[in-house]
Structure formats: C-alpha cells, structure tokens
C-alpha cells in the first residue's frame, strides 16, 4: 500500500510513526480460524485502534471531548485484554513461533493501554502512573516469556526488575556517558521507525502475505518496547516528584460548608465571644489545661519560670510608658565620668595670658622676645626663602 493512501478494511493506522509523505498503515485484522469470539476480538481491536488514532485529531488533550473519547478508547482496550485472556491466546508454554501472525498484534494491547492511561487528566495522577506502570510491566513480562526481547532490551528488563521503583535509563552520573546513552537510544528509535516505514510499503500483491505482515508486527513490537522503557523512566521520575509534594487536605463536603465552625470543631453553641484570641486554656490544651507536671516530675505542657510573685503584683498598676531611671544631675555626673563633658571651655586654655606690668623681669623678657621677632622679620622678608620656584 503506498503511503498517504486511504486505509482499506484490512488495514488501520499503526503507531504514531509518520513521514513527510503520509501516515503509515499496517495490517490490523486477518481472518483466523478461531471461531466467532476470535473474529469479535479482531473487530474490537481494530475499532479500539482506530479510536486511538482519532485522539490525535483533538488538539486539546485536557478538553472534555478528548477525555470522553479517551475513556471510551480505554474501555475498548480493556475489553480487548479481557477477551484475550479469556481466549488464552498467549501461553507461557509457547514460543514466538507458536504465535500466529494475526495474533501478534494483540501483544500490544497492554502497551496501548498504558500509553492511553498516561493521557488521563482527570483521575488522581499517582494512581494513573501506577496503573500505567503495571500495564507496561505486564507487556514486558509477556514478551520476556516468549523470548521476544532483544539482547539490549533484555538487559534493561532485568535491571528494571531489580530496581523497579528507581529504574532509570541514565543511571550513570558521568555526563559523557549519559549523553552517549541518549544519542544511542535516539538513533535506535530512528532506525526502528525507518524499518517500520519501509516494511509498510508493501505492494498490494503482498497484502495477504503472512510473512510480510508478521515482519511488520514484529517491527512494531520492537518500536513499542523501545518506547516502553523510556515511558517507565519518565513514570519513575514523576512519581518521585509527586512523593515530594505536600499532602493536600481533602475538599470540604457541601454539608460541611453549611455547618457553623463550632459544629465542625465540636464546640458548644453557647460559647460565643467577641474576643479575637482564644483563652489561654484553649491555646495550651484545647480547653483542657491539665496538670503542669506528671507524677514523675516531667513537664506536660509549656510553662514560664518567673522570678517572684511580688514583681508581677508591682507591674499590674503602672504607667504605660517607660519611667526615667535617674535624675538630670545623676545623668550629667555619669557623662562627666565617662569624659563626655569638657571643663574650662576647651581651647581657651591655650590663649596667652596678659603680662603683669608690675613684674619688670617678665615684662623685659616679653619686650626682648618681640624685638627679636621684629629683627627676624626684617632680615627675612616675605618670600625670600622661596628660591626654587622662581623663573
């Protein structure tokens, strides 16, 4: 079938793999001699798969229309899984070769279920993640029983079983190793998509070829398995984030909103008070203060040690402002002791005292000092000493 052409009754869209030329369609229903129940399983799976692809046409995944379509699609795949279990199509005693080509597609039921569960925006998120992980777990367990996992996927599955809650694709703390792991897995995913796209280009003459359809289903299973481990990694990361979130109190019921706060808290109706703060007895013991100490001397509730009862009595009738603790004279004396007050007027002590005219000896000394200063000024005129800056 060429890419981009409309699907016939024997073909439905496969995974979300697409190319620039159109959507890939893969055979989804083949007649099998398993009776009417098997025929109903084929039609039910084809219908559920078509509904799964119709979800991609709804842009807003949180809209009511999308969620309604999602619930109906989930119900269809749940019915497919129940019918598959009832028919016992897969058995742990069989191998991959024992599965018919038409029944290989039913291995993907659990994968599609988990993929759709993760799109649920209404149910509790933690519950959704746990249910999706359980569906992925069942999908991988079935493939492991049939030995259909590749060598690399088998190692990842064993590591997942050993550390189910802490499973991560990038377990190495080395940044280079983590980058190489991402690049390797991206290249592997592109190879699987190209392989599925190539196998989907089946000529019309080979549409009824059992070997061609079987190879298409196996390629699709490999791509879904690759995406499963990536989804398990994301689920574990999201569950860790949810575990760190604070617990939210449940929303009040409508009848609780109509009740008075005293009725909700079990308080008597006649204890109305205009006080904004609760009594100390209710604050300390929810209305039951009780004894301060136990028989062994162990404190039963918070308390404060006070120095004396007289101090409390003295503080009852007092001014509402802070009273002075010393007089002005005491304050000035304390400032003088600390050196905050200077006596004698400060720099006035350095002024020249007037000469007593009756003291002849001291008067002569002052006269001689003045004469010597006059002689010095005459011998050294102003500016005579500045000889460096002259032109």
């Amino acid at each position: 079938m060429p890419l981009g052409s409309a699907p016939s009754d024997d073909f439905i869209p496969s995974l979300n793999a697409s190319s620039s030329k159109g959507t890939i369609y893969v055979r989804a229903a083949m007649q099998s001699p398993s009776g009417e129940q098997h025929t109903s399983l084929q039609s039910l799976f084809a219908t559920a798969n078509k509904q799964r692809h119709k979800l991609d046409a709804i842009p807003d995944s949180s809209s009511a229309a999308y969620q309604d379509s999602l619930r109906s699609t989930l119900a269809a795949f749940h019915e497919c899984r129940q019918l598959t279990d009832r028919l016992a199509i897969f058995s742990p005693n069989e191998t991959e070769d024992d599965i018919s080509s038409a029944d290989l597609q039913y291995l993907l039921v659990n994968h599609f279920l988990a993929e759709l569960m993760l799109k649920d925006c209404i149910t509790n998120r933690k519950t959704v993640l746990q249910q999706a992980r359980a569906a992925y777990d069942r999908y991988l367990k079935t493939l492991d029983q049939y030995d259909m996992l590749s060598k690399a996927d088998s190692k990842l599955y064993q590591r997942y079983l050993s550390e189910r809650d802490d499973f991560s694709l990038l377990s190495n703390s080395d940044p280079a190793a983590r980058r190489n792991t991402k690049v390797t897995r991206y290249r592997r995913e592109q190879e699987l998509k190209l392989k599925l796209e190539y196998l989907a280009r089946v000529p019309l003459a080979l549409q009824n070829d059992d070997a061609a359809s079987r190879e298409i289903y196996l390629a699709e299973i490999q791509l879904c398995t690759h995406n499963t481990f990536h989804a398990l990694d994301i689920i574990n990361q999201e569950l860790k984030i949810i575990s760190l979130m604070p617990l939210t109190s449940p929303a009040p019921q409508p009848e609780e909103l109509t009740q008075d706060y005293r009725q909700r808290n079990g308080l008597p109706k006649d204890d109305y008070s205009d006080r904004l703060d609760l009594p100390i007895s209710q604050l300390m013991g929810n209305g039951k203060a009780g004894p301060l100490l136990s028989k062994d001397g162990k404190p039963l509730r918070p308390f404060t040690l006070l120095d004396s009862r007289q101090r409390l009595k003295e503080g009852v009738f007092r001014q509402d402002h802070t009273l002075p603790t010393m007089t002005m004279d005491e304050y000035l004396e304390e400032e003088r002791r600390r050196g905050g007050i200077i006596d004698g007027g400060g720099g006035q002590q350095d002024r020249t005292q007037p000469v007593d005219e009756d003291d002849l000896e001291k008067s002569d000394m002052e006269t001689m000092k003045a004469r010597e200063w006059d002689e010095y000024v005459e011998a050294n005129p102003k500016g005579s000493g500045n000889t460096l800056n002259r032109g």
Side-chain angles (χ1 to χ4, degrees), residues 263-296:
Q263 297 177 355
R264 294 195 300 268
N265 297 330
L267 300 175
K269 297 182 180 180
D270 55 353
D271 66 340
Y272 175 77
S273 175
D274 292 330
R275 293 183 56 176
L276 297 179
D277 55 340
L278 295 177
I280 187 64
S281 58
Q282 294 187 12
L283 291 176
M284 297 182 66
N286 194 16
K288 300 178 182 179
L292 180 62
L293 299 175
S294 64
K295 296 181 180 180
D296 301 334

PDB file of all heavy atoms in Angstrom, residues 263-296:
ATOM      1  N   GLN A 263     -19.822  23.780  65.165  1.00  0.00           N
ATOM      2  CA  GLN A 263     -20.343  22.443  64.924  1.00  0.00           C
ATOM      3  C   GLN A 263     -19.285  21.547  64.303  1.00  0.00           C
ATOM      4  O   GLN A 263     -19.180  20.365  64.630  1.00  0.00           O
ATOM      5  CB  GLN A 263     -21.572  22.516  64.020  1.00  0.00           C
ATOM      6  CG  GLN A 263     -22.743  23.280  64.638  1.00  0.00           C
ATOM      7  CD  GLN A 263     -23.907  23.388  63.668  1.00  0.00           C
ATOM      8  OE1 GLN A 263     -23.802  22.970  62.514  1.00  0.00           O
ATOM      9  NE2 GLN A 263     -25.023  23.962  64.137  1.00  0.00           N
ATOM     10  N   ARG A 264     -18.462  22.119  63.366  1.00  0.00           N
ATOM     11  CA  ARG A 264     -17.415  21.298  62.748  1.00  0.00           C
ATOM     12  C   ARG A 264     -16.339  20.921  63.746  1.00  0.00           C
ATOM     13  O   ARG A 264     -15.760  19.835  63.669  1.00  0.00           O
ATOM     14  CB  ARG A 264     -16.787  22.067  61.574  1.00  0.00           C
ATOM     15  CG  ARG A 264     -17.742  22.310  60.423  1.00  0.00           C
ATOM     16  CD  ARG A 264     -16.980  22.727  59.174  1.00  0.00           C
ATOM     17  NE  ARG A 264     -16.233  23.941  59.385  1.00  0.00           N
ATOM     18  CZ  ARG A 264     -16.709  25.166  59.114  1.00  0.00           C
ATOM     19  NH1 ARG A 264     -17.947  25.302  58.651  1.00  0.00           N
ATOM     20  NH2 ARG A 264     -15.969  26.229  59.309  1.00  0.00           N
ATOM     21  N   ASN A 265     -16.028  21.832  64.692  1.00  0.00           N
ATOM     22  CA  ASN A 265     -14.971  21.557  65.665  1.00  0.00           C
ATOM     23  C   ASN A 265     -15.476  20.926  66.943  1.00  0.00           C
ATOM     24  O   ASN A 265     -14.690  20.705  67.877  1.00  0.00           O
ATOM     25  CB  ASN A 265     -14.224  22.859  66.005  1.00  0.00           C
ATOM     26  CG  ASN A 265     -13.537  23.441  64.794  1.00  0.00           C
ATOM     27  OD1 ASN A 265     -13.133  22.710  63.901  1.00  0.00           O
ATOM     28  ND2 ASN A 265     -13.404  24.769  64.753  1.00  0.00           N
ATOM     29  N   GLY A 266     -16.771  20.646  67.018  1.00  0.00           N
ATOM     30  CA  GLY A 266     -17.299  20.003  68.203  1.00  0.00           C
ATOM     31  C   GLY A 266     -17.373  20.907  69.408  1.00  0.00           C
ATOM     32  O   GLY A 266     -17.347  20.426  70.554  1.00  0.00           O
ATOM     33  N   LEU A 267     -17.484  22.237  69.227  1.00  0.00           N
ATOM     34  CA  LEU A 267     -17.554  23.174  70.332  1.00  0.00           C
ATOM     35  C   LEU A 267     -19.012  23.418  70.704  1.00  0.00           C
ATOM     36  O   LEU A 267     -19.913  23.319  69.865  1.00  0.00           O
ATOM     37  CB  LEU A 267     -16.882  24.500  69.954  1.00  0.00           C
ATOM     38  CG  LEU A 267     -15.395  24.415  69.573  1.00  0.00           C
ATOM     39  CD1 LEU A 267     -14.900  25.777  69.118  1.00  0.00           C
ATOM     40  CD2 LEU A 267     -14.565  23.905  70.733  1.00  0.00           C
ATOM     41  N   PRO A 268     -19.288  23.749  71.972  1.00  0.00           N
ATOM     42  CA  PRO A 268     -20.667  24.068  72.351  1.00  0.00           C
ATOM     43  C   PRO A 268     -21.149  25.336  71.668  1.00  0.00           C
ATOM     44  O   PRO A 268     -20.374  26.223  71.331  1.00  0.00           O
ATOM     45  CB  PRO A 268     -20.574  24.241  73.873  1.00  0.00           C
ATOM     46  CG  PRO A 268     -19.135  24.543  74.141  1.00  0.00           C
ATOM     47  CD  PRO A 268     -18.355  23.794  73.110  1.00  0.00           C
ATOM     48  N   LYS A 269     -22.447  25.424  71.449  1.00  0.00           N
ATOM     49  CA  LYS A 269     -23.008  26.538  70.706  1.00  0.00           C
ATOM     50  C   LYS A 269     -23.127  27.809  71.540  1.00  0.00           C
ATOM     51  O   LYS A 269     -23.325  28.890  71.001  1.00  0.00           O
ATOM     52  CB  LYS A 269     -24.392  26.167  70.154  1.00  0.00           C
ATOM     53  CG  LYS A 269     -24.340  25.014  69.152  1.00  0.00           C
ATOM     54  CD  LYS A 269     -25.709  24.728  68.596  1.00  0.00           C
ATOM     55  CE  LYS A 269     -25.662  23.579  67.584  1.00  0.00           C
ATOM     56  NZ  LYS A 269     -26.988  23.280  67.033  1.00  0.00           N
ATOM     57  N   ASP A 270     -23.066  27.691  72.885  1.00  0.00           N
ATOM     58  CA  ASP A 270     -23.271  28.845  73.741  1.00  0.00           C
ATOM     59  C   ASP A 270     -21.972  29.476  74.204  1.00  0.00           C
ATOM     60  O   ASP A 270     -21.948  30.182  75.216  1.00  0.00           O
ATOM     61  CB  ASP A 270     -24.112  28.454  74.961  1.00  0.00           C
ATOM     62  CG  ASP A 270     -23.486  27.288  75.711  1.00  0.00           C
ATOM     63  OD1 ASP A 270     -22.503  26.729  75.191  1.00  0.00           O
ATOM     64  OD2 ASP A 270     -23.994  26.953  76.808  1.00  0.00           O
ATOM     65  N   ASP A 271     -20.871  29.220  73.522  1.00  0.00           N
ATOM     66  CA  ASP A 271     -19.579  29.778  73.938  1.00  0.00           C
ATOM     67  C   ASP A 271     -19.175  30.963  73.063  1.00  0.00           C
ATOM     68  O   ASP A 271     -17.998  31.204  72.833  1.00  0.00           O
ATOM     69  CB  ASP A 271     -18.482  28.710  73.891  1.00  0.00           C
ATOM     70  CG  ASP A 271     -18.194  28.238  72.479  1.00  0.00           C
ATOM     71  OD1 ASP A 271     -19.076  28.438  71.620  1.00  0.00           O
ATOM     72  OD2 ASP A 271     -17.106  27.686  72.238  1.00  0.00           O
ATOM     73  N   TYR A 272     -20.169  31.687  72.543  1.00  0.00           N
ATOM     74  CA  TYR A 272     -19.860  32.808  71.668  1.00  0.00           C
ATOM     75  C   TYR A 272     -19.142  33.899  72.449  1.00  0.00           C
ATOM     76  O   TYR A 272     -19.483  34.202  73.597  1.00  0.00           O
ATOM     77  CB  TYR A 272     -21.132  33.366  71.037  1.00  0.00           C
ATOM     78  CG  TYR A 272     -20.889  34.617  70.217  1.00  0.00           C
ATOM     79  CD1 TYR A 272     -20.335  34.526  68.956  1.00  0.00           C
ATOM     80  CD2 TYR A 272     -21.185  35.880  70.735  1.00  0.00           C
ATOM     81  CE1 TYR A 272     -20.083  35.657  68.206  1.00  0.00           C
ATOM     82  CE2 TYR A 272     -20.941  37.016  69.994  1.00  0.00           C
ATOM     83  CZ  TYR A 272     -20.390  36.901  68.734  1.00  0.00           C
ATOM     84  OH  TYR A 272     -20.137  38.022  68.001  1.00  0.00           O
ATOM     85  N   SER A 273     -18.139  34.517  71.845  1.00  0.00           N
ATOM     86  CA  SER A 273     -17.383  35.582  72.486  1.00  0.00           C
ATOM     87  C   SER A 273     -16.892  36.535  71.405  1.00  0.00           C
ATOM     88  O   SER A 273     -16.651  36.138  70.263  1.00  0.00           O
ATOM     89  CB  SER A 273     -16.196  35.008  73.262  1.00  0.00           C
ATOM     90  OG  SER A 273     -15.398  36.054  73.788  1.00  0.00           O
ATOM     91  N   ASP A 274     -16.758  37.810  71.795  1.00  0.00           N
ATOM     92  CA  ASP A 274     -16.242  38.817  70.870  1.00  0.00           C
ATOM     93  C   ASP A 274     -14.730  38.833  70.812  1.00  0.00           C
ATOM     94  O   ASP A 274     -14.146  39.600  70.044  1.00  0.00           O
ATOM     95  CB  ASP A 274     -16.736  40.208  71.282  1.00  0.00           C
ATOM     96  CG  ASP A 274     -18.240  40.345  71.070  1.00  0.00           C
ATOM     97  OD1 ASP A 274     -18.751  39.678  70.158  1.00  0.00           O
ATOM     98  OD2 ASP A 274     -18.876  41.112  71.811  1.00  0.00           O
ATOM     99  N   ARG A 275     -14.080  38.027  71.619  1.00  0.00           N
ATOM    100  CA  ARG A 275     -12.622  38.010  71.646  1.00  0.00           C
ATOM    101  C   ARG A 275     -12.074  37.450  70.339  1.00  0.00           C
ATOM    102  O   ARG A 275     -12.591  36.461  69.794  1.00  0.00           O
ATOM    103  CB  ARG A 275     -12.117  37.156  72.803  1.00  0.00           C
ATOM    104  CG  ARG A 275     -12.416  37.732  74.172  1.00  0.00           C
ATOM    105  CD  ARG A 275     -11.822  36.851  75.248  1.00  0.00           C
ATOM    106  NE  ARG A 275     -10.392  36.658  75.070  1.00  0.00           N
ATOM    107  CZ  ARG A 275      -9.635  35.985  75.926  1.00  0.00           C
ATOM    108  NH1 ARG A 275     -10.171  35.433  77.002  1.00  0.00           N
ATOM    109  NH2 ARG A 275      -8.347  35.853  75.712  1.00  0.00           N
ATOM    110  N   LEU A 276     -11.037  38.100  69.845  1.00  0.00           N
ATOM    111  CA  LEU A 276     -10.392  37.617  68.624  1.00  0.00           C
ATOM    112  C   LEU A 276      -9.410  36.496  68.910  1.00  0.00           C
ATOM    113  O   LEU A 276      -9.124  35.688  68.032  1.00  0.00           O
ATOM    114  CB  LEU A 276      -9.667  38.778  67.920  1.00  0.00           C
ATOM    115  CG  LEU A 276     -10.563  39.920  67.444  1.00  0.00           C
ATOM    116  CD1 LEU A 276      -9.714  40.993  66.788  1.00  0.00           C
ATOM    117  CD2 LEU A 276     -11.633  39.424  66.489  1.00  0.00           C
ATOM    118  N   ASP A 277      -8.863  36.487  70.133  1.00  0.00           N
ATOM    119  CA  ASP A 277      -7.923  35.434  70.502  1.00  0.00           C
ATOM    120  C   ASP A 277      -8.608  34.470  71.468  1.00  0.00           C
ATOM    121  O   ASP A 277      -9.494  34.838  72.227  1.00  0.00           O
ATOM    122  CB  ASP A 277      -6.666  36.024  71.158  1.00  0.00           C
ATOM    123  CG  ASP A 277      -6.999  36.901  72.348  1.00  0.00           C
ATOM    124  OD1 ASP A 277      -8.165  37.342  72.410  1.00  0.00           O
ATOM    125  OD2 ASP A 277      -6.122  37.142  73.194  1.00  0.00           O
ATOM    126  N   LEU A 278      -8.196  33.209  71.397  1.00  0.00           N
ATOM    127  CA  LEU A 278      -8.780  32.180  72.246  1.00  0.00           C
ATOM    128  C   LEU A 278      -8.252  32.311  73.667  1.00  0.00           C
ATOM    129  O   LEU A 278      -7.161  32.850  73.892  1.00  0.00           O
ATOM    130  CB  LEU A 278      -8.449  30.799  71.686  1.00  0.00           C
ATOM    131  CG  LEU A 278      -9.048  30.479  70.312  1.00  0.00           C
ATOM    132  CD1 LEU A 278      -8.568  29.119  69.851  1.00  0.00           C
ATOM    133  CD2 LEU A 278     -10.555  30.518  70.344  1.00  0.00           C
ATOM    134  N   PRO A 279      -8.981  31.821  74.650  1.00  0.00           N
ATOM    135  CA  PRO A 279      -8.463  31.802  76.014  1.00  0.00           C
ATOM    136  C   PRO A 279      -7.178  31.007  76.114  1.00  0.00           C
ATOM    137  O   PRO A 279      -6.914  30.104  75.307  1.00  0.00           O
ATOM    138  CB  PRO A 279      -9.599  31.157  76.818  1.00  0.00           C
ATOM    139  CG  PRO A 279     -10.820  31.331  75.975  1.00  0.00           C
ATOM    140  CD  PRO A 279     -10.350  31.306  74.555  1.00  0.00           C
ATOM    141  N   ILE A 280      -6.374  31.338  77.126  1.00  0.00           N
ATOM    142  CA  ILE A 280      -5.094  30.665  77.272  1.00  0.00           C
ATOM    143  C   ILE A 280      -5.262  29.186  77.532  1.00  0.00           C
ATOM    144  O   ILE A 280      -4.434  28.361  77.136  1.00  0.00           O
ATOM    145  CB  ILE A 280      -4.281  31.345  78.415  1.00  0.00           C
ATOM    146  CG1 ILE A 280      -2.879  30.791  78.475  1.00  0.00           C
ATOM    147  CG2 ILE A 280      -4.994  31.166  79.749  1.00  0.00           C
ATOM    148  CD1 ILE A 280      -2.049  31.072  77.262  1.00  0.00           C
ATOM    149  N   SER A 281      -6.370  28.821  78.176  1.00  0.00           N
ATOM    150  CA  SER A 281      -6.592  27.402  78.449  1.00  0.00           C
ATOM    151  C   SER A 281      -6.805  26.624  77.168  1.00  0.00           C
ATOM    152  O   SER A 281      -6.330  25.495  77.020  1.00  0.00           O
ATOM    153  CB  SER A 281      -7.806  27.231  79.374  1.00  0.00           C
ATOM    154  OG  SER A 281      -8.963  27.811  78.776  1.00  0.00           O
ATOM    155  N   GLN A 282      -7.519  27.232  76.173  1.00  0.00           N
ATOM    156  CA  GLN A 282      -7.730  26.545  74.902  1.00  0.00           C
ATOM    157  C   GLN A 282      -6.464  26.538  74.054  1.00  0.00           C
ATOM    158  O   GLN A 282      -6.196  25.584  73.335  1.00  0.00           O
ATOM    159  CB  GLN A 282      -8.866  27.212  74.131  1.00  0.00           C
ATOM    160  CG  GLN A 282     -10.226  27.068  74.791  1.00  0.00           C
ATOM    161  CD  GLN A 282     -11.334  27.595  73.907  1.00  0.00           C
ATOM    162  OE1 GLN A 282     -11.116  27.858  72.729  1.00  0.00           O
ATOM    163  NE2 GLN A 282     -12.530  27.748  74.485  1.00  0.00           N
ATOM    164  N   LEU A 283      -5.685  27.611  74.131  1.00  0.00           N
ATOM    165  CA  LEU A 283      -4.446  27.646  73.358  1.00  0.00           C
ATOM    166  C   LEU A 283      -3.444  26.617  73.846  1.00  0.00           C
ATOM    167  O   LEU A 283      -2.699  26.024  73.066  1.00  0.00           O
ATOM    168  CB  LEU A 283      -3.831  29.050  73.423  1.00  0.00           C
ATOM    169  CG  LEU A 283      -4.604  30.151  72.691  1.00  0.00           C
ATOM    170  CD1 LEU A 283      -3.932  31.491  72.938  1.00  0.00           C
ATOM    171  CD2 LEU A 283      -4.669  29.862  71.207  1.00  0.00           C
ATOM    172  N   MET A 284      -3.390  26.383  75.153  1.00  0.00           N
ATOM    173  CA  MET A 284      -2.378  25.490  75.719  1.00  0.00           C
ATOM    174  C   MET A 284      -2.834  24.042  75.750  1.00  0.00           C
ATOM    175  O   MET A 284      -2.020  23.136  75.704  1.00  0.00           O
ATOM    176  CB  MET A 284      -2.017  25.942  77.132  1.00  0.00           C
ATOM    177  CG  MET A 284      -1.397  27.330  77.192  1.00  0.00           C
ATOM    178  SD  MET A 284      -0.927  27.807  78.849  1.00  0.00           S
ATOM    179  CE  MET A 284       0.378  26.631  79.150  1.00  0.00           C
ATOM    180  N   GLY A 285      -4.122  23.806  75.833  1.00  0.00           N
ATOM    181  CA  GLY A 285      -4.536  22.411  75.932  1.00  0.00           C
ATOM    182  C   GLY A 285      -5.848  22.115  75.289  1.00  0.00           C
ATOM    183  O   GLY A 285      -6.527  21.162  75.677  1.00  0.00           O
ATOM    184  N   ASN A 286      -6.263  22.935  74.297  1.00  0.00           N
ATOM    185  CA  ASN A 286      -7.520  22.716  73.595  1.00  0.00           C
ATOM    186  C   ASN A 286      -8.690  22.677  74.586  1.00  0.00           C
ATOM    187  O   ASN A 286      -9.573  21.836  74.521  1.00  0.00           O
ATOM    188  CB  ASN A 286      -7.476  21.421  72.780  1.00  0.00           C
ATOM    189  CG  ASN A 286      -8.613  21.353  71.784  1.00  0.00           C
ATOM    190  OD1 ASN A 286      -9.232  22.369  71.498  1.00  0.00           O
ATOM    191  ND2 ASN A 286      -8.897  20.167  71.261  1.00  0.00           N
ATOM    192  N   GLY A 287      -8.615  23.594  75.581  1.00  0.00           N
ATOM    193  CA  GLY A 287      -9.662  23.665  76.573  1.00  0.00           C
ATOM    194  C   GLY A 287      -9.416  22.791  77.779  1.00  0.00           C
ATOM    195  O   GLY A 287     -10.199  22.801  78.720  1.00  0.00           O
ATOM    196  N   LYS A 288      -8.376  22.034  77.790  1.00  0.00           N
ATOM    197  CA  LYS A 288      -8.062  21.136  78.902  1.00  0.00           C
ATOM    198  C   LYS A 288      -6.602  21.358  79.275  1.00  0.00           C
ATOM    199  O   LYS A 288      -5.709  20.722  78.723  1.00  0.00           O
ATOM    200  CB  LYS A 288      -8.295  19.684  78.506  1.00  0.00           C
ATOM    201  CG  LYS A 288      -9.745  19.394  78.097  1.00  0.00           C
ATOM    202  CD  LYS A 288      -9.910  17.957  77.661  1.00  0.00           C
ATOM    203  CE  LYS A 288     -11.340  17.684  77.220  1.00  0.00           C
ATOM    204  NZ  LYS A 288     -11.505  16.281  76.763  1.00  0.00           N
ATOM    205  N   ALA A 289      -6.386  22.322  80.193  1.00  0.00           N
ATOM    206  CA  ALA A 289      -5.014  22.644  80.563  1.00  0.00           C
ATOM    207  C   ALA A 289      -4.354  21.484  81.285  1.00  0.00           C
ATOM    208  O   ALA A 289      -3.257  21.084  80.965  1.00  0.00           O
ATOM    209  CB  ALA A 289      -5.000  23.907  81.425  1.00  0.00           C
ATOM    210  N   GLY A 290      -5.041  20.926  82.272  1.00  0.00           N
ATOM    211  CA  GLY A 290      -4.487  19.786  82.980  1.00  0.00           C
ATOM    212  C   GLY A 290      -3.339  20.161  83.891  1.00  0.00           C
ATOM    213  O   GLY A 290      -2.961  21.335  84.016  1.00  0.00           O
ATOM    214  N   PRO A 291      -2.745  19.192  84.526  1.00  0.00           N
ATOM    215  CA  PRO A 291      -1.628  19.468  85.444  1.00  0.00           C
ATOM    216  C   PRO A 291      -0.390  19.910  84.683  1.00  0.00           C
ATOM    217  O   PRO A 291      -0.204  19.586  83.504  1.00  0.00           O
ATOM    218  CB  PRO A 291      -1.415  18.123  86.151  1.00  0.00           C
ATOM    219  CG  PRO A 291      -1.929  17.111  85.180  1.00  0.00           C
ATOM    220  CD  PRO A 291      -3.081  17.754  84.471  1.00  0.00           C
ATOM    221  N   LEU A 292       0.460  20.660  85.373  1.00  0.00           N
ATOM    222  CA  LEU A 292       1.682  21.160  84.764  1.00  0.00           C
ATOM    223  C   LEU A 292       2.755  20.087  84.696  1.00  0.00           C
ATOM    224  O   LEU A 292       3.465  19.968  83.704  1.00  0.00           O
ATOM    225  CB  LEU A 292       2.192  22.369  85.553  1.00  0.00           C
ATOM    226  CG  LEU A 292       3.476  23.019  85.027  1.00  0.00           C
ATOM    227  CD1 LEU A 292       3.255  23.556  83.634  1.00  0.00           C
ATOM    228  CD2 LEU A 292       3.942  24.129  85.966  1.00  0.00           C
ATOM    229  N   LEU A 293       2.880  19.282  85.763  1.00  0.00           N
ATOM    230  CA  LEU A 293       3.900  18.241  85.842  1.00  0.00           C
ATOM    231  C   LEU A 293       3.238  16.898  86.076  1.00  0.00           C
ATOM    232  O   LEU A 293       2.163  16.808  86.684  1.00  0.00           O
ATOM    233  CB  LEU A 293       4.895  18.544  86.974  1.00  0.00           C
ATOM    234  CG  LEU A 293       5.686  19.850  86.867  1.00  0.00           C
ATOM    235  CD1 LEU A 293       6.526  20.046  88.110  1.00  0.00           C
ATOM    236  CD2 LEU A 293       6.554  19.849  85.626  1.00  0.00           C
ATOM    237  N   SER A 294       3.884  15.851  85.598  1.00  0.00           N
ATOM    238  CA  SER A 294       3.417  14.500  85.861  1.00  0.00           C
ATOM    239  C   SER A 294       3.887  14.043  87.238  1.00  0.00           C
ATOM    240  O   SER A 294       4.609  14.753  87.945  1.00  0.00           O
ATOM    241  CB  SER A 294       3.931  13.560  84.775  1.00  0.00           C
ATOM    242  OG  SER A 294       5.343  13.493  84.805  1.00  0.00           O
ATOM    243  N   LYS A 295       3.492  12.848  87.616  1.00  0.00           N
ATOM    244  CA  LYS A 295       3.906  12.313  88.915  1.00  0.00           C
ATOM    245  C   LYS A 295       5.416  12.125  88.991  1.00  0.00           C
ATOM    246  O   LYS A 295       6.001  12.181  90.083  1.00  0.00           O
ATOM    247  CB  LYS A 295       3.199  10.991  89.167  1.00  0.00           C
ATOM    248  CG  LYS A 295       1.680  11.133  89.292  1.00  0.00           C
ATOM    249  CD  LYS A 295       1.032   9.784  89.564  1.00  0.00           C
ATOM    250  CE  LYS A 295      -0.489   9.927  89.694  1.00  0.00           C
ATOM    251  NZ  LYS A 295      -1.138   8.628  89.956  1.00  0.00           N
ATOM    252  N   ASP A 296       6.044  11.888  87.841  1.00  0.00           N
ATOM    253  CA  ASP A 296       7.499  11.710  87.807  1.00  0.00           C
ATOM    254  C   ASP A 296       8.246  13.025  87.678  1.00  0.00           C
ATOM    255  O   ASP A 296       9.482  13.031  87.586  1.00  0.00           O
ATOM    256  CB  ASP A 296       7.892  10.791  86.648  1.00  0.00           C
ATOM    257  CG  ASP A 296       7.239   9.430  86.763  1.00  0.00           C
ATOM    258  OD1 ASP A 296       6.918   9.041  87.904  1.00  0.00           O
ATOM    259  OD2 ASP A 296       7.047   8.778  85.719  1.00  0.00           O
TER     260      ASP A 296
END
